[in-house]
């Protein structure tokens, strides 16, 4: 969990810390048709350092047109990607999950003084809600990509839609031109209202209980993980307590329709500020800060909050007591009852950090709820990706379910996340969602799992009913009884029976 800030070394009076250079990832360069591509690959256990690798990749930005593919969510890696861009295009599905995530992303980009535009993906499902929201927020919808299964199939092969489906070349060319024009406009963002923080009370949710816990994760976003967790929650017996560890895109609560029992603020650490009346301009804070958060502007030093990791190294070296700190509220947590059972979840404020800490907090509350409500088992919707929230999601898990999809990127991310699971020596298995998008790649996943002695719990077809269920705020198994839900029920039975002694090795 170390962020490598160096504050411990500065604070230790015995000089007992030894520091060594560490590789956190690699940056690769490639070429596709007329484009140069740079991408960073993070070492699987270095999730806490994602923003640093993003910053390194951004050093390759040149004077031409640069397109940055951001990670999903609204936390520090995303902030690092979006910062200083000319335009941010927010791609969103017209679903309740999509709209919820879009609202958070709009707040995040506006807090970075950037006015985003919206690109509706999978248009045709029913865009009324997303369009209403964009109108209310005065957000421009720059384009709509139709809900076309052929696009998903081409994407699954790692191919370009414009090269495989010729009708779309013109659509994307026009969209590209519009985006470039928009980037030149530099529209002034709508002001973000400062969040009102009510009274902060300290709570202790520590518990001596150990629940038996299933955690569902996915290497990448968009695999359908949360929709499946909703189904498993509906199928679970009454001995379960649930949590949503996807704290920067918390969507599960939309299906759970929780009755809130308690809520509170999450204090993620401290925010630091330089008192210009005391500052003598010695630059020591700037030199010691490893996150490039200290700036000089018009002869004054200041700390950029969105870059500051709150390590306190700057205040340790300031000889003039010019750097003050105060507690930082990074999000909110909730304890709730639902039709499935007790539920803990949280919402990280857009652009905030300490996601891993908030996930640990949600897990602690889940165990507390388990003890209080006399439950023995836990089911958690883990975070996507490989960063610190996933590592926090996995801590203490008894069984890990990895949801993947048969796409080139899905397989790449599945292999990496399984290595992370193996690194923590946890038992687990794989679910292939949307298997019929690309049966060849589904076969590859099955072969990979067989070679590595990993169980494939089942294959779920691509099914638009997931969206219709979501629009009714239901899990699929509550919405319909059909072939897909039969498969899901079978998978849940397997998870339940292998709960204690499944085996995974790579
Ligand atoms: S270390 Fe203290 S005095 Fe020196 S520039 Fe920073 S805030 Fe100012
Ligand atoms: S500015 Fe923030 S990140 Fe940089 S040294 Fe100070 S507390 Fe740490």
């Amino acid at each position: 969990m170390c962020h490598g800030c160096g504050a411990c070394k500065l604070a230790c009076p015995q000089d007992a810390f030894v520091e060594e250079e560490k590789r956190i990832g690699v940056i690769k360069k490639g070429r596709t048709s007329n484009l140069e591509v740079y991408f960073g690959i993070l070492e699987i256990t270095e999730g806490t350092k994602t923003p640093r690798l993003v910053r390194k990749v951004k050093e390759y930005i040149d004077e031409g047109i640069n397109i940055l593919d951001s990670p999903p969510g609204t936390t520090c890696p995303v902030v690092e990607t979006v910062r200083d861009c000319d335009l941010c295009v927010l791609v969103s599905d017209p679903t309740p999950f999509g709209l919820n995530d879009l609202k958070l992303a709009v707040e995040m980009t506006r807090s970075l003084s950037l006015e985003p535009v919206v690109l509706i993906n999978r248009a045709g499902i029913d865009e009324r809600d997303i369009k209403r929201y964009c109108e209310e927020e005065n957000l421009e919808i720059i384009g709509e990509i139709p809900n076309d299964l052929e696009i998903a199939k081409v994407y699954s092969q790692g191919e370009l839609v414009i090269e495989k489906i010729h009708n779309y070349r013109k659509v994307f060319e026009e969209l590209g031109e519009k985006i470039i024009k928009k980037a030149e406009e530099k529209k002034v963002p709508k002001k973000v209202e400062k969040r009102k923080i009510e009274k902060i009370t300290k709570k202790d949710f520590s518990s001596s209980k150990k629940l038996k816990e299933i955690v569902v994760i996915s290497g990448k976003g968009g695999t359908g993980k949360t929709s499946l967790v909703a189904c498993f929650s509906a199928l679970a017996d009454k001995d379960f307590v649930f949590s949503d560890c996807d704290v920067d895109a918390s969507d599960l609560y939309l299906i759970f329709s929780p009755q809130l029992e308690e809520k509170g603020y999450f204090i993620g650490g401290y925010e630091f500020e330089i008192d210009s009346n005391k500052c003598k301009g010695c630059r020591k804070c700037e030199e010691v800060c490893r996150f490039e958060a200290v700036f000089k502007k018009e002869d004054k030093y200041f700390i950029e909050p969105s870059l500051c990791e709150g390590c306190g190294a700057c205040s340790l070296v300031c000889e003039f007591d010019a750097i003050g700190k105060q507690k930082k509220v990074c999000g909110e947590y909730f304890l709730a009852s639902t039709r499935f059972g007790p539920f803990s979840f949280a919402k990280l404020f857009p652009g905030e950090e300490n996601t891993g800490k908030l996930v640990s907090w949600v897990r602690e509350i889940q165990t507390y709820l388990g003890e209080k409500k006399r439950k023995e088992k836990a089911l958690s919707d883990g975070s996507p990706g490989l960063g610190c929230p996933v590592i926090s999601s996995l801590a203490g898990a008894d069984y890990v379910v990895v949801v993947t999809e048969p796409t080139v990127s899905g397989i790449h991310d599945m292999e990496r996340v399984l290595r992370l699971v193996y690194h923590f020596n946890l038992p687990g298995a794989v679910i292939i969602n949307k298997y019929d998008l690309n049966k060849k790649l589904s076969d590859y996943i099955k072969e990979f799992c067989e070679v590595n002695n990993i169980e494939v719990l089942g294959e779920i077809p691509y099914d638009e009913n997931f969206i219709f269920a979501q629009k009714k705020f239901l899990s699929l198994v509550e919405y319909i009884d059909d072939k897909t839900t039969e498969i899901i029920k079978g998978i849940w039975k397997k998870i339940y029976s292998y709960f204690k002694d499944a085996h995974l090795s790579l």
Side-chain angles (χ1 to χ4, degrees), residues 310-380:
C311 65
C314 52
S315 70
L316 284 171
V317 296
C318 180
E319 290 166 15
F320 303 96
D321 195 24
I323 303 179
K325 65 174 183 182
Q326 61 177 31
K327 281 182 183 165
K328 191 177 189 186
V329 179
C330 295
E332 285 175 291
Y333 64 83
F334 306 89
L335 286 73
S337 57
T338 73
R339 63 188 184 283
F340 307 128
F343 178 45
S344 66
F345 66 108
K347 292 179 185 176
L348 192 81
F349 294 155
E352 289 297 349
E353 53 209 33
N354 283 313
T355 336
K357 241 171 136 180
L358 182 52
V359 170
S360 303
W361 187 237
V362 168
R363 301 278 307 277
E364 197 171 317
I365 295 172
Q366 183 181 31
T367 310
Y368 164 86
L369 280 173
E371 184 166 47
K372 197 174 153 202
K373 311 266 178 174
R374 296 171 194 272
K375 310 284 180 190
E376 296 299 327
K377 302 175 200 120
L379 174 63
S380 302

Coordinates of all heavy atoms in Angstrom, one line a residue, residues 310-380:
G310 N -1.2 14.1 0.3 CA -1.4 14.3 1.8 C -0.3 13.6 2.6 O -0.6 13.2 3.8
C311 N 0.9 13.4 2.1 CA 1.9 12.6 2.8 C 2.5 13.4 4.0 O 3.0 12.8 4.9 CB 3.0 12.1 1.9 SG 3.9 13.4 1.1
G312 N 2.5 14.7 3.8 CA 3.1 15.5 4.9 C 4.6 15.8 4.8 O 5.2 16.4 5.7
A313 N 5.2 15.2 3.8 CA 6.7 15.4 3.7 C 7.1 16.9 3.6 O 8.1 17.3 4.2 CB 7.2 14.7 2.4
C314 N 6.3 17.7 2.9 CA 6.6 19.1 2.8 C 6.6 19.8 4.2 O 7.5 20.6 4.5 CB 5.6 19.8 1.9 SG 3.9 19.5 2.3
S315 N 5.6 19.4 5.0 CA 5.5 20.1 6.3 C 6.7 19.7 7.2 O 7.1 20.4 8.1 CB 4.2 19.9 7.0 OG 4.0 18.6 7.4
L316 N 7.2 18.4 7.0 CA 8.3 18.0 7.8 C 9.6 18.8 7.5 O 10.4 19.0 8.4 CB 8.6 16.5 7.5 CG 7.6 15.5 8.1 CD1 7.9 14.1 7.5 CD2 7.8 15.4 9.6
V317 N 9.8 19.2 6.2 CA 11.0 19.9 5.9 C 10.9 21.4 6.0 O 11.9 22.1 6.0 CB 11.5 19.6 4.5 CG1 11.9 18.1 4.3 CG2 10.5 20.0 3.4
C318 N 9.7 22.0 6.2 CA 9.6 23.4 6.2 C 10.1 23.9 7.6 O 9.5 23.6 8.6 CB 8.1 23.8 6.0 SG 7.9 25.6 6.1
E319 N 11.1 24.7 7.6 CA 11.7 25.2 8.8 C 10.9 26.5 9.4 O 11.3 27.0 10.4 CB 13.1 25.6 8.6 CG 14.0 24.4 8.4 CD 15.4 24.7 7.8 OE1 15.8 25.9 7.9 OE2 16.0 23.8 7.3
F320 N 9.9 26.9 8.6 CA 9.3 28.2 9.1 C 7.8 27.9 9.5 O 7.0 28.9 9.5 CB 9.4 29.2 7.9 CG 10.8 29.5 7.5 CD1 11.4 28.8 6.5 CD2 11.6 30.4 8.3 CE1 12.7 29.0 6.1 CE2 12.9 30.6 7.9 CZ 13.5 29.9 6.9
D321 N 7.5 26.7 9.7 CA 6.1 26.3 10.1 C 5.1 26.9 9.2 O 4.0 27.4 9.7 CB 6.0 26.8 11.6 CG 4.8 26.1 12.2 OD1 4.4 25.0 11.8 OD2 4.2 26.7 13.2
A322 N 5.4 27.0 7.9 CA 4.5 27.7 7.0 C 3.4 26.7 6.4 O 2.6 27.2 5.6 CB 5.3 28.3 5.9
I323 N 3.5 25.4 6.7 CA 2.6 24.5 6.0 C 1.6 23.9 7.0 O 2.0 23.2 7.9 CB 3.3 23.4 5.2 CG1 4.3 24.1 4.2 CG2 2.3 22.5 4.5 CD1 5.1 23.1 3.4
G324 N 0.4 24.3 6.9 CA -0.6 23.8 7.8 C -1.4 22.7 7.2 O -1.4 22.4 6.0
K325 N -2.2 21.9 8.1 CA -3.0 20.8 7.6 C -4.3 20.8 8.2 O -4.5 21.3 9.4 CB -2.2 19.5 7.8 CG -2.1 19.1 9.2 CD -1.5 17.7 9.3 CE -1.4 17.3 10.8 NZ -0.8 16.0 11.0
Q326 N -5.3 20.2 7.5 CA -6.6 20.0 8.1 C -7.2 18.7 7.6 O -6.8 18.3 6.5 CB -7.5 21.2 7.9 CG -7.8 21.5 6.5 CD -8.8 22.6 6.4 OE1 -8.9 23.5 7.3 NE2 -9.6 22.6 5.4
K327 N -8.1 18.1 8.3 CA -8.7 16.8 7.9 C -9.4 17.0 6.6 O -10.0 18.0 6.3 CB -9.6 16.3 9.0 CG -8.9 15.7 10.1 CD -9.9 15.1 11.1 CE -9.2 14.6 12.3 NZ -10.0 14.4 13.4
K328 N -9.3 16.0 5.7 CA -9.9 16.0 4.4 C -11.0 15.0 4.3 O -10.8 13.8 4.5 CB -8.8 15.7 3.4 CG -9.2 16.0 2.0 CD -8.1 15.7 1.0 CE -8.4 16.2 -0.4 NZ -7.4 15.8 -1.3
V329 N -12.2 15.5 4.0 CA -13.3 14.7 3.8 C -13.3 14.2 2.3 O -13.4 15.0 1.4 CB -14.7 15.4 4.1 CG1 -15.9 14.5 3.9 CG2 -14.6 15.9 5.5
C330 N -13.1 12.9 2.1 CA -13.0 12.4 0.7 C -14.3 11.7 0.2 O -14.3 11.4 -1.0 CB -11.9 11.4 0.6 SG -10.3 12.1 1.0
G331 N -15.2 11.4 1.1 CA -16.4 10.7 0.6 C -17.4 10.5 1.7 O -17.2 11.0 2.8
E332 N -18.4 9.7 1.4 CA -19.4 9.4 2.4 C -19.6 7.9 2.4 O -19.5 7.2 1.4 CB -20.8 10.0 2.0 CG -20.9 11.5 2.2 CD -22.2 12.0 1.7 OE1 -22.4 12.0 0.4 OE2 -23.0 12.4 2.5
Y333 N -19.9 7.3 3.6 CA -20.2 5.9 3.7 C -21.7 5.7 4.2 O -22.2 6.6 4.8 CB -19.2 5.2 4.6 CG -19.3 5.6 6.0 CD1 -20.2 5.1 6.9 CD2 -18.4 6.6 6.5 CE1 -20.3 5.6 8.2 CE2 -18.5 7.1 7.8 CZ -19.4 6.5 8.7 OH -19.5 7.0 10.0
F334 N -22.2 4.5 3.9 CA -23.6 4.3 4.2 C -23.8 2.9 4.7 O -23.2 1.9 4.2 CB -24.5 4.4 2.9 CG -24.3 5.7 2.2 CD1 -23.4 5.9 1.2 CD2 -25.1 6.8 2.6 CE1 -23.2 7.1 0.6 CE2 -24.9 8.1 1.9 CZ -24.0 8.2 0.9
L335 N -24.7 2.7 5.8 CA -25.1 1.4 6.3 C -26.6 1.4 5.9 O -27.3 2.3 6.2 CB -24.9 1.3 7.8 CG -23.5 1.2 8.3 CD1 -22.7 2.5 8.2 CD2 -23.5 0.7 9.8
A336 N -27.0 0.3 5.3 CA -28.4 0.2 4.9 C -29.0 -1.2 5.0 O -28.2 -2.2 5.1 CB -28.4 0.7 3.4
S337 N -30.3 -1.2 5.0 CA -31.0 -2.5 4.9 C -31.6 -2.6 3.5 O -32.0 -1.5 3.0 CB -32.0 -2.7 6.0 OG -32.9 -1.7 5.9
T338 N -31.6 -3.8 2.9 CA -32.2 -3.9 1.6 C -33.0 -5.2 1.5 O -33.0 -6.0 2.5 CB -31.0 -4.1 0.5 OG1 -30.5 -5.4 0.7 CG2 -30.0 -3.0 0.7
R339 N -33.7 -5.4 0.4 CA -34.5 -6.6 0.3 C -33.7 -7.9 0.3 O -34.2 -9.0 0.5 CB -35.4 -6.6 -1.0 CG -34.7 -6.5 -2.3 CD -35.6 -6.3 -3.4 NE -35.0 -6.3 -4.7 CZ -34.3 -5.3 -5.3 NH1 -34.1 -4.2 -4.6 NH2 -33.8 -5.4 -6.5
F340 N -32.3 -7.7 0.1 CA -31.5 -8.9 0.1 C -30.8 -9.1 1.4 O -30.4 -10.2 1.8 CB -30.3 -8.7 -1.0 CG -30.9 -8.4 -2.4 CD1 -30.4 -7.3 -3.1 CD2 -31.8 -9.2 -3.0 CE1 -30.8 -7.0 -4.3 CE2 -32.3 -8.9 -4.2 CZ -31.8 -7.8 -4.9
G341 N -30.6 -8.1 2.2 CA -29.9 -8.2 3.5 C -29.2 -6.9 3.8 O -29.3 -5.9 3.0
P342 N -28.4 -6.8 4.8 CA -27.6 -5.6 5.2 C -26.6 -5.3 4.1 O -26.0 -6.2 3.5 CB -26.9 -6.0 6.5 CG -27.6 -7.2 7.0 CD -28.2 -7.9 5.8
F343 N -26.3 -4.0 4.0 CA -25.5 -3.5 2.8 C -24.7 -2.4 3.3 O -25.2 -1.4 3.9 CB -26.5 -3.2 1.7 CG -25.9 -2.6 0.4 CD1 -24.7 -3.2 -0.1 CD2 -26.4 -1.5 -0.2 CE1 -24.2 -2.7 -1.3 CE2 -25.9 -1.0 -1.4 CZ -24.8 -1.6 -1.9
S344 N -23.4 -2.4 2.9 CA -22.5 -1.2 3.2 C -22.0 -0.7 1.8 O -21.6 -1.6 1.0 CB -21.4 -1.6 4.1 OG -20.5 -2.5 3.5
F345 N -22.0 0.5 1.7 CA -21.4 1.1 0.4 C -20.9 2.5 0.7 O -21.1 3.1 1.8 CB -22.4 1.1 -0.7 CG -23.7 1.9 -0.6 CD1 -23.8 3.1 -1.3 CD2 -24.7 1.6 0.3 CE1 -25.0 3.9 -1.2 CE2 -25.8 2.4 0.5 CZ -26.0 3.5 -0.3
A346 N -20.2 3.1 -0.3 CA -19.7 4.4 -0.1 C -19.6 5.1 -1.4 O -19.7 4.5 -2.5 CB -18.3 4.3 0.5
K347 N -19.5 6.4 -1.3 CA -19.3 7.2 -2.5 C -18.1 8.1 -2.3 O -18.1 9.0 -1.5 CB -20.6 8.1 -2.8 CG -21.8 7.3 -3.2 CD -23.0 8.2 -3.4 CE -24.2 7.4 -3.6 NZ -25.4 8.2 -3.8
L348 N -17.1 7.9 -3.1 CA -15.9 8.8 -3.1 C -16.3 10.1 -3.8 O -16.9 10.0 -4.9 CB -14.7 8.1 -3.8 CG -13.4 8.7 -3.5 CD1 -12.8 8.3 -2.2 CD2 -12.4 8.3 -4.7
F349 N -15.9 11.2 -3.2 CA -16.2 12.4 -4.0 C -15.4 12.5 -5.2 O -14.2 12.1 -5.2 CB -15.9 13.7 -3.1 CG -16.8 13.8 -1.9 CD1 -16.4 14.5 -0.7 CD2 -18.1 13.2 -1.9 CE1 -17.2 14.6 0.4 CE2 -18.9 13.3 -0.8 CZ -18.5 14.0 0.4
P350 N -15.9 12.9 -6.3 CA -15.2 12.9 -7.6 C -13.9 13.6 -7.5 O -13.8 14.7 -6.9 CB -16.1 13.6 -8.6 CG -17.5 13.4 -8.0 CD -17.3 13.4 -6.5
G351 N -12.8 13.0 -8.0 CA -11.5 13.6 -8.0 C -10.7 13.4 -6.8 O -9.5 13.7 -6.7
E352 N -11.3 12.7 -5.8 CA -10.6 12.5 -4.5 C -9.8 11.2 -4.6 O -10.0 10.4 -5.5 CB -11.6 12.4 -3.4 CG -12.3 13.7 -3.0 CD -11.3 14.7 -2.5 OE1 -10.1 14.4 -2.2 OE2 -11.7 15.9 -2.4
E353 N -8.9 11.1 -3.7 CA -8.0 9.9 -3.7 C -8.3 9.1 -2.4 O -9.4 9.2 -1.8 CB -6.6 10.3 -3.7 CG -6.2 11.3 -2.7 CD -5.1 12.2 -3.1 OE1 -5.0 12.5 -4.3 OE2 -4.3 12.6 -2.2
N354 N -7.4 8.2 -2.1 CA -7.5 7.3 -0.9 C -8.7 6.3 -1.1 O -9.4 5.9 -0.2 CB -7.8 8.1 0.4 CG -6.5 8.7 0.9 OD1 -5.5 8.0 0.9 ND2 -6.5 9.9 1.2
T355 N -8.8 5.9 -2.4 CA -9.9 4.9 -2.7 C -9.7 3.6 -1.9 O -10.6 3.0 -1.4 CB -9.8 4.6 -4.2 OG1 -9.2 5.6 -4.9 CG2 -11.2 4.2 -4.8
G356 N -8.4 3.2 -1.9 CA -8.1 1.9 -1.2 C -8.5 2.0 0.3 O -9.1 1.0 0.8
K357 N -8.3 3.1 0.9 CA -8.6 3.3 2.3 C -10.2 3.2 2.5 O -10.7 2.7 3.4 CB -8.1 4.7 2.8 CG -7.1 4.6 3.9 CD -6.6 6.0 4.1 CE -6.4 6.3 5.5 NZ -5.9 7.7 5.7
L358 N -10.9 3.9 1.6 CA -12.3 3.9 1.7 C -12.9 2.5 1.4 O -13.8 2.1 2.1 CB -12.9 4.9 0.6 CG -14.5 5.0 0.7 CD1 -15.0 5.3 2.1 CD2 -14.9 6.2 -0.3
V359 N -12.3 1.7 0.5 CA -12.7 0.3 0.3 C -12.5 -0.5 1.6 O -13.4 -1.2 2.0 CB -12.0 -0.3 -0.9 CG1 -12.2 -1.8 -1.0 CG2 -12.3 0.3 -2.2
S360 N -11.4 -0.3 2.2 CA -11.1 -1.0 3.5 C -12.2 -0.6 4.5 O -12.6 -1.5 5.3 CB -9.7 -0.7 4.1 OG -8.8 -1.0 3.1
W361 N -12.6 0.6 4.5 CA -13.6 1.1 5.5 C -14.9 0.5 5.2 O -15.6 0.0 6.1 CB -13.6 2.7 5.3 CG -14.5 3.4 6.3 CD1 -15.5 4.3 5.9 CD2 -14.4 3.5 7.7 NE1 -16.0 4.8 7.0 CE2 -15.4 4.4 8.2 CE3 -13.6 2.9 8.6 CZ2 -15.6 4.7 9.5 CZ3 -13.8 3.2 10.0 CH2 -14.7 4.0 10.4
V362 N -15.3 0.4 3.9 CA -16.6 -0.3 3.5 C -16.6 -1.8 4.0 O -17.6 -2.3 4.5 CB -16.8 -0.2 2.0 CG1 -17.9 -1.1 1.5 CG2 -17.1 1.2 1.6
R363 N -15.4 -2.4 3.8 CA -15.3 -3.8 4.2 C -15.4 -4.0 5.7 O -16.0 -4.9 6.3 CB -14.0 -4.4 3.8 CG -13.7 -4.4 2.2 CD -14.4 -5.5 1.5 NE -14.0 -6.8 2.1 CZ -12.9 -7.4 1.7 NH1 -12.1 -6.9 0.9 NH2 -12.7 -8.6 2.3
E364 N -14.8 -3.0 6.4 CA -14.9 -3.0 7.9 C -16.3 -2.9 8.4 O -16.8 -3.6 9.3 CB -14.0 -1.9 8.5 CG -13.7 -2.1 9.9 CD -12.7 -1.1 10.4 OE1 -11.7 -0.8 9.7 OE2 -12.9 -0.5 11.5
I365 N -17.1 -2.0 7.7 CA -18.5 -1.7 8.0 C -19.3 -3.0 7.7 O -20.2 -3.4 8.5 CB -19.1 -0.5 7.3 CG1 -18.4 0.7 7.7 CG2 -20.6 -0.4 7.5 CD1 -18.7 2.0 6.9
Q366 N -18.9 -3.7 6.6 CA -19.6 -4.9 6.2 C -19.5 -6.0 7.4 O -20.5 -6.6 7.8 CB -19.0 -5.4 4.9 CG -19.7 -6.7 4.4 CD -19.1 -7.1 3.1 OE1 -17.9 -7.0 2.9 NE2 -19.8 -7.7 2.2
T367 N -18.3 -6.1 7.9 CA -18.1 -7.1 9.0 C -18.8 -6.7 10.2 O -19.4 -7.5 10.9 CB -16.5 -7.2 9.3 OG1 -15.9 -7.4 8.0 CG2 -16.2 -8.4 10.2
Y368 N -18.8 -5.4 10.5 CA -19.5 -4.8 11.6 C -21.0 -5.2 11.5 O -21.7 -5.6 12.5 CB -19.3 -3.3 11.7 CG -20.3 -2.6 12.6 CD1 -20.0 -2.4 13.9 CD2 -21.4 -1.9 12.0 CE1 -20.9 -1.7 14.7 CE2 -22.3 -1.2 12.8 CZ -22.0 -1.1 14.2 OH -22.9 -0.4 14.9
L369 N -21.6 -5.0 10.3 CA -23.0 -5.3 10.0 C -23.2 -6.8 10.2 O -24.3 -7.2 10.7 CB -23.4 -4.8 8.6 CG -23.7 -3.4 8.4 CD1 -23.9 -3.1 6.9 CD2 -24.9 -2.9 9.2
G370 N -22.3 -7.6 9.8 CA -22.4 -9.0 9.9 C -22.5 -9.4 11.4 O -23.4 -10.3 11.7
E371 N -21.7 -8.8 12.2 CA -21.7 -9.1 13.6 C -23.1 -8.6 14.2 O -23.7 -9.4 15.0 CB -20.5 -8.5 14.3 CG -20.4 -8.8 15.8 CD -19.1 -8.4 16.4 OE1 -18.7 -7.3 16.1 OE2 -18.5 -9.3 17.1
K372 N -23.4 -7.4 13.9 CA -24.6 -6.8 14.5 C -25.9 -7.5 14.1 O -26.8 -7.7 14.9 CB -24.7 -5.3 14.0 CG -25.6 -4.5 14.8 CD -25.5 -3.0 14.4 CE -26.8 -2.3 14.7 NZ -27.0 -1.1 13.9
K373 N -25.9 -8.0 12.8 CA -27.2 -8.6 12.3 C -27.1 -10.1 12.3 O -27.9 -10.8 11.7 CB -27.5 -8.1 10.9 CG -27.4 -6.6 10.7 CD -28.7 -5.9 10.8 CE -28.6 -4.4 10.6 NZ -29.8 -3.7 10.6
R374 N -26.0 -10.6 12.9 CA -25.8 -12.1 13.1 C -25.8 -12.8 11.7 O -26.5 -13.8 11.5 CB -26.9 -12.7 14.0 CG -26.9 -12.2 15.4 CD -28.1 -12.6 16.1 NE -28.3 -11.9 17.3 CZ -27.8 -12.2 18.5 NH1 -27.0 -13.3 18.6 NH2 -27.9 -11.5 19.6
K375 N -25.0 -12.3 10.8 CA -24.8 -13.0 9.6 C -23.4 -13.6 9.5 O -22.5 -13.1 10.2 CB -24.9 -12.0 8.4 CG -26.1 -11.1 8.4 CD -27.4 -11.9 8.0 CE -28.6 -11.0 8.1 NZ -29.8 -11.7 7.9
E376 N -23.2 -14.7 8.7 CA -21.9 -15.4 8.7 C -21.2 -15.2 7.4 O -20.0 -15.4 7.3 CB -22.2 -16.9 8.9 CG -22.7 -17.3 10.3 CD -21.8 -16.9 11.4 OE1 -20.6 -16.9 11.2 OE2 -22.3 -16.5 12.5
K377 N -21.9 -14.8 6.3 CA -21.3 -14.8 5.0 C -21.4 -13.4 4.4 O -22.3 -12.6 4.7 CB -22.0 -15.8 4.1 CG -22.0 -17.2 4.6 CD -22.8 -18.1 3.7 CE -23.2 -19.4 4.4 NZ -24.6 -19.5 4.5
A378 N -20.4 -13.1 3.5 CA -20.4 -11.8 2.8 C -20.2 -11.9 1.3 O -19.5 -12.8 0.9 CB -19.3 -11.0 3.4
L379 N -20.8 -11.1 0.6 CA -20.6 -11.0 -0.9 C -20.3 -9.5 -1.2 O -21.0 -8.6 -0.8 CB -21.9 -11.4 -1.6 CG -21.9 -11.3 -3.1 CD1 -20.9 -12.1 -3.8 CD2 -23.3 -11.6 -3.7
S380 N -19.2 -9.3 -1.9 CA -18.7 -8.0 -2.2 C -18.6 -7.8 -3.7 O -18.0 -8.6 -4.3 CB -17.4 -7.7 -1.5 OG -17.5 -7.9 -0.1

